[in-house]
Amino acid sequence: IRHVYSIKHHHRNDGKMPGSRSVRGRHNYGKRAADKHDQCRKDTQMCRKGKAIECKIEMEKVTSPNSQCIKNKEGKFVRWGKLFRTDEMNKMTDADLTYLASTGLKTVVDFRTATEKEGGFGGMMPAAPDKLPSTVKNPYNLEINAGNIFSDEIIGSISKGLSEEETAQIMIDGYIEMISYDDYVAKYKEFFKYLQDENSLPLSYHCSAGKDRTGVATMLILSALDVDKATIMKDYLLSKEYIKGK
């Protein structure tokens, strides 16, 4: 099964504005990825002129486009090279690890549960520990099990088959919990503590699919940067296209 990978790159136009913008592609990174990444940086000049660009990162087997430049309500563009949004990081190749090390990545925040990382359910869910580049000094586990989706009850229901309505309700319940349960709100607050610490940057954050828990984290980041709701939603919905396999 081809692993789908999402990653956030960042840039700014005034030397002050922190933030994130999307580059989503399929795993793996190839030997030309760094060259393509440098070209993306150069293309930010087009963003500053208000022009939409489609920057591409060359992977080992595929080329995938990124989203257009994101700017906030004041017209400031979000920043390059500080935050990386990913899905599970257990399938990284040596080339991938070398590329991420070249970014100077220092911190990885993992929103997955212990079951997701260590495996369980009689082998139904294999162990999936992160593979991290040598530059990472700060791995943090901020477990969020919204909707209790990895409980025996939910897993049992899923294995028996759920209707579209039942599946949708599980997801709705999970999203409500992520932003309302005190424990999970505390985890996102701790996440923001790392984001605001220059000694923790560059930083990568992820869950399993890079869509729900990670998507909420990205929504919170862009909201804090005063990006409008429509743009945040457009960025969030890119996951529907780029991680169809999950």
Side-chain angles (χ1 to χ4, degrees):
I1 299 175
R2 185 181 296 278
H3 176 63
V4 181
Y5 195 85
S6 309
I7 192 163
K8 290 276 185 182
H9 290 296
H10 314 259
H11 63 91
R12 60 184 175 185
N13 69 340
D14 65 352
K16 298 179 181 179
M17 186 64 187
S20 60
R21 85 183 257 259
S22 299
V23 175
R24 303 169 190 247
R26 292 180 184 268
H27 185 80
N28 303 318
Y29 286 106
K31 61 183 179 181
R32 289 176 289 177
D35 292 338
K36 291 293 182 178
H37 175 64
D38 289 341
Q39 184 60 49
C40 288
R41 287 179 179 273
K42 295 175 183 178
D43 286 345
T44 59
Q45 293 298 326
M46 296 179 67
C47 294
R48 294 169 186 169
K49 296 176 182 178
K51 297 180 180 179
I53 63 170
E54 186 179 80
C55 173
K56 295 184 178 181
I57 289 183
E58 193 79 18
M59 310 301 178
E60 289 182 356
K61 295 184 179 180
V62 296
T63 301
S64 300
N66 72 340
S67 65
Q68 296 177 357
C69 305
I70 292 178
K71 58 183 177 181
N72 72 356
K73 296 174 184 176
E74 296 180 3
K76 297 179 180 179
F77 291 100
V78 293
R79 186 178 177 184
W80 282 87
K82 294 298 182 182
L83 303 180
F84 296 84
R85 172 183 178 175
T86 82
D87 59 4
E88 56 195 355
M89 297 179 69
N90 63 297
K91 299 178 182 177
M92 308 284 281
T93 66
D94 289 343
D96 301 330
L97 293 171
T98 297
Y99 173 73
L100 285 179
S102 74
T103 70
L105 186 67
K106 293 180 182 178
T107 302
V108 172
V109 176
D110 188 348
F111 293 120
R112 296 177 303 160
T113 65
T115 300
E116 292 172 272
K117 289 175 281 192
E118 300 168 8
F121 303 109
M124 288 178 57
M125 182 177 289
D130 279 349
K131 291 182 178 180
L132 302 178
S134 59
T135 54
V136 172
K137 307 301 180 185
N138 308 308
Y140 295 114
N141 295 311
L142 300 180
E143 295 186 18
I144 295 178
N145 188 19
N148 202 24
I149 194 169
F150 296 105
S151 67
D152 291 338
E153 178 184 359
I154 297 297
I155 291 294
S157 297
I158 293 174
S159 64
K160 294 177 183 178
L162 294 174
S163 67
E164 184 175 338
E165 291 76 14
E166 290 172 324
T167 302
Q169 191 58 53
I170 289 175
M171 298 304 297
I172 291 169
D173 292 343
Y175 272 81
I176 291 172
E177 289 183 13
M178 273 189 271
I179 60 173
S180 61
Y181 275 30
D182 289 344
D183 183 50
Y184 301 151
V185 170
K187 296 292 177 61
Y188 282 123
K189 284 184 177 180
E190 184 174 350
F191 173 59
F192 265 74
K193 180 181 72 174
Y194 303 139
L195 294 181
Q196 296 176 80
D197 181 0
E198 284 291 336
N199 294 322
S200 294
L201 304 179
L203 176 150
S204 171
Y205 59 104
H206 76 97
C207 51
S208 289
K211 172 177 69 73
D212 302 309
R213 290 162 289 187
T214 303
V216 168
T218 302
M219 176 274 291
L220 293 171
I221 293 169
L222 295 178
S223 294
L225 296 173
D226 202 26
V227 175
D228 67 90
K229 184 177 180 180
T231 300
I232 294 172
M233 183 61 71
K234 181 179 179 181
D235 179 72
Y236 172 81
L237 289 175
L238 286 174
S239 294
K240 185 177 181 180
E241 176 181 353
Y242 288 111
I243 58 171
K244 289 179 180 178
K246 290 199 170 187

